Amino acid sequence: MESRSTVIDKLRIDYEVPFVSDRGKILDHTIVRINERRKGVEISYALLDPSEQDLDSLFPSDGMDSLAEMTGSILHDLGVMPQRIALQMWDYSVAQGPYSVEGRAPVNKQRDTVLIIFTKSPFVYKFGYEMVLWHQAMHAKDRWERRFPAAHPQVQVSEWIDALWHFSIDGRLEAWNKPHYNKSERLEEAAALFRKLRLPADVTERALRAGDGLWAKEVTMAELVEKGKSLGLEASSQKASSKRQAKGPETR
Ligand SMILES: [Zn+2]
């Protein structure tokens, strides 16, 4: 049998919004090294120290089969039907975020490929990965349907954009009876973020009300940016982000 860690294919993903590195290098695509195909989904293992033994214990074959199958069916349920679906599994996380960091979901600019990145092994941590998968698939859907740009996975948007986006995502999932974080969890998360950004109380109050109002509403990136400007979120996050080295994948 062929080794599970052999590179059998390479998948190039081009982005509309490139990542600019600390040295000013512009990265407008990623190359994903594909190791396996399961249930119509391409699998890439990004391990710090790849060995066959690690692979089998971190990402057991039967677990990967069901994860791949579920990924395909969730995207299909959401009306996202790319030519190529890839899963990238990490056994490490480069991100130091305020909340749990579970994944990312870039799409390419041609809109024929979706990549779902798991930054933690969903098997080792034994959490129900269904919710994470639905969540990431919704980020992918919004990008797929061009409400959000196809951005390089390392591009870090302001945290308040994600916080507001999550009201839209989880509200729609709730309306469809799919696994989601509930509104009170999202309100708490947003409130914690606004505290961290040291927003004035009235701004926080208006921002939380705005989040509440976005529950289950389809939004675009442009609308969120506009909303953030009118609420005065933009200025506050610039102060915070200049102190912080932006890198790594997004939060849940
Ligand atoms: Zn998210």
PDB file of all heavy atoms in Angstrom, residues 135-136 139 162 166 169 186 250-252, ligand 1:
ATOM      1  N   HIS A 135     -19.690  25.642  10.373  1.00  0.00           N
ATOM      2  CA  HIS A 135     -19.259  27.029  10.510  1.00  0.00           C
ATOM      3  C   HIS A 135     -18.297  27.427   9.386  1.00  0.00           C
ATOM      4  O   HIS A 135     -18.488  28.436   8.705  1.00  0.00           O
ATOM      5  CB  HIS A 135     -18.602  27.236  11.882  1.00  0.00           C
ATOM      6  CG  HIS A 135     -18.182  28.645  12.097  1.00  0.00           C
ATOM      7  ND1 HIS A 135     -19.068  29.619  12.487  1.00  0.00           N
ATOM      8  CD2 HIS A 135     -16.993  29.257  11.920  1.00  0.00           C
ATOM      9  CE1 HIS A 135     -18.424  30.780  12.554  1.00  0.00           C
ATOM     10  NE2 HIS A 135     -17.162  30.584  12.216  1.00  0.00           N
ATOM     11  N   GLN A 136     -17.282  26.602   9.184  1.00  0.00           N
ATOM     12  CA  GLN A 136     -16.310  26.920   8.130  1.00  0.00           C
ATOM     13  C   GLN A 136     -16.959  26.882   6.749  1.00  0.00           C
ATOM     14  O   GLN A 136     -16.637  27.686   5.879  1.00  0.00           O
ATOM     15  CB  GLN A 136     -15.107  25.968   8.189  1.00  0.00           C
ATOM     16  CG  GLN A 136     -14.261  26.125   9.453  1.00  0.00           C
ATOM     17  CD  GLN A 136     -13.744  27.539   9.663  1.00  0.00           C
ATOM     18  OE1 GLN A 136     -13.499  28.270   8.709  1.00  0.00           O
ATOM     19  NE2 GLN A 136     -13.599  27.951  10.917  1.00  0.00           N
ATOM     20  N   HIS A 139     -18.522  30.185   6.054  1.00  0.00           N
ATOM     21  CA  HIS A 139     -17.538  31.186   5.597  1.00  0.00           C
ATOM     22  C   HIS A 139     -17.240  30.952   4.109  1.00  0.00           C
ATOM     23  O   HIS A 139     -17.176  31.889   3.314  1.00  0.00           O
ATOM     24  CB  HIS A 139     -16.232  31.066   6.388  1.00  0.00           C
ATOM     25  CG  HIS A 139     -16.236  31.742   7.728  1.00  0.00           C
ATOM     26  ND1 HIS A 139     -16.416  33.094   7.889  1.00  0.00           N
ATOM     27  CD2 HIS A 139     -16.068  31.254   8.987  1.00  0.00           C
ATOM     28  CE1 HIS A 139     -16.351  33.416   9.184  1.00  0.00           C
ATOM     29  NE2 HIS A 139     -16.144  32.307   9.874  1.00  0.00           N
ATOM     30  N   ASP A 162     -15.052  39.776  11.758  1.00  0.00           N
ATOM     31  CA  ASP A 162     -15.408  38.381  12.025  1.00  0.00           C
ATOM     32  C   ASP A 162     -16.524  38.291  13.054  1.00  0.00           C
ATOM     33  O   ASP A 162     -17.448  37.492  12.926  1.00  0.00           O
ATOM     34  CB  ASP A 162     -14.188  37.606  12.546  1.00  0.00           C
ATOM     35  CG  ASP A 162     -13.490  36.823  11.443  1.00  0.00           C
ATOM     36  OD1 ASP A 162     -14.093  36.671  10.360  1.00  0.00           O
ATOM     37  OD2 ASP A 162     -12.359  36.381  11.661  1.00  0.00           O
ATOM     38  N   HIS A 166     -20.087  36.570  12.229  1.00  0.00           N
ATOM     39  CA  HIS A 166     -20.569  35.378  12.924  1.00  0.00           C
ATOM     40  C   HIS A 166     -22.049  35.456  13.299  1.00  0.00           C
ATOM     41  O   HIS A 166     -22.730  34.436  13.345  1.00  0.00           O
ATOM     42  CB  HIS A 166     -19.710  35.121  14.177  1.00  0.00           C
ATOM     43  CG  HIS A 166     -18.358  34.583  13.831  1.00  0.00           C
ATOM     44  ND1 HIS A 166     -17.304  34.585  14.700  1.00  0.00           N
ATOM     45  CD2 HIS A 166     -17.902  34.020  12.678  1.00  0.00           C
ATOM     46  CE1 HIS A 166     -16.243  34.044  14.106  1.00  0.00           C
ATOM     47  NE2 HIS A 166     -16.581  33.699  12.879  1.00  0.00           N
ATOM     48  N   ILE A 169     -23.735  34.344  10.145  1.00  0.00           N
ATOM     49  CA  ILE A 169     -23.529  32.914   9.887  1.00  0.00           C
ATOM     50  C   ILE A 169     -24.363  32.046  10.831  1.00  0.00           C
ATOM     51  O   ILE A 169     -25.114  31.167  10.398  1.00  0.00           O
ATOM     52  CB  ILE A 169     -22.025  32.572  10.018  1.00  0.00           C
ATOM     53  CG1 ILE A 169     -21.268  33.090   8.789  1.00  0.00           C
ATOM     54  CG2 ILE A 169     -21.818  31.059  10.204  1.00  0.00           C
ATOM     55  CD1 ILE A 169     -19.773  32.816   8.825  1.00  0.00           C
ATOM     56  N   ARG A 186     -22.540  34.356  20.925  1.00  0.00           N
ATOM     57  CA  ARG A 186     -21.941  35.330  20.009  1.00  0.00           C
ATOM     58  C   ARG A 186     -21.948  36.734  20.605  1.00  0.00           C
ATOM     59  O   ARG A 186     -21.017  37.517  20.390  1.00  0.00           O
ATOM     60  CB  ARG A 186     -22.674  35.315  18.659  1.00  0.00           C
ATOM     61  CG  ARG A 186     -22.379  34.088  17.809  1.00  0.00           C
ATOM     62  CD  ARG A 186     -20.893  33.836  17.667  1.00  0.00           C
ATOM     63  NE  ARG A 186     -20.596  32.786  16.698  1.00  0.00           N
ATOM     64  CZ  ARG A 186     -19.392  32.241  16.546  1.00  0.00           C
ATOM     65  NH1 ARG A 186     -18.377  32.622  17.292  1.00  0.00           N
ATOM     66  NH2 ARG A 186     -19.201  31.299  15.645  1.00  0.00           N
ATOM     67  N   GLU A 250      -7.841  32.311  11.128  1.00  0.00           N
ATOM     68  CA  GLU A 250      -8.873  33.061  11.833  1.00  0.00           C
ATOM     69  C   GLU A 250      -9.419  32.277  13.015  1.00  0.00           C
ATOM     70  O   GLU A 250      -9.135  31.100  13.202  1.00  0.00           O
ATOM     71  CB  GLU A 250     -10.017  33.365  10.887  1.00  0.00           C
ATOM     72  CG  GLU A 250     -10.843  32.135  10.625  1.00  0.00           C
ATOM     73  CD  GLU A 250     -12.174  32.484  10.010  1.00  0.00           C
ATOM     74  OE1 GLU A 250     -12.442  33.672   9.792  1.00  0.00           O
ATOM     75  OE2 GLU A 250     -12.938  31.552   9.755  1.00  0.00           O
ATOM     76  N   THR A 251     -10.193  32.970  13.778  1.00  0.00           N
ATOM     77  CA  THR A 251     -10.838  32.345  14.922  1.00  0.00           C
ATOM     78  C   THR A 251     -12.051  31.567  14.439  1.00  0.00           C
ATOM     79  O   THR A 251     -12.387  31.625  13.274  1.00  0.00           O
ATOM     80  CB  THR A 251     -11.295  33.417  15.880  1.00  0.00           C
ATOM     81  OG1 THR A 251     -12.269  34.196  15.215  1.00  0.00           O
ATOM     82  CG2 THR A 251     -10.139  34.307  16.277  1.00  0.00           C
ATOM     83  N   ARG A 252     -12.699  30.912  15.358  1.00  0.00           N
ATOM     84  CA  ARG A 252     -13.897  30.172  14.987  1.00  0.00           C
ATOM     85  C   ARG A 252     -14.931  31.127  14.455  1.00  0.00           C
ATOM     86  O   ARG A 252     -15.828  30.767  13.772  1.00  0.00           O
ATOM     87  CB  ARG A 252     -14.454  29.424  16.193  1.00  0.00           C
ATOM     88  CG  ARG A 252     -15.065  30.360  17.233  1.00  0.00           C
ATOM     89  CD  ARG A 252     -15.612  29.568  18.398  1.00  0.00           C
ATOM     90  NE  ARG A 252     -16.520  30.456  19.131  1.00  0.00           N
ATOM     91  CZ  ARG A 252     -17.086  30.135  20.287  1.00  0.00           C
ATOM     92  NH1 ARG A 252     -16.880  28.948  20.796  1.00  0.00           N
ATOM     93  NH2 ARG A 252     -17.898  30.971  20.889  1.00  0.00           N
TER      94      ARG A 252
HETATM   95 ZN    ZN B   1     -15.585  32.077  11.866  1.00  0.00          ZN
END
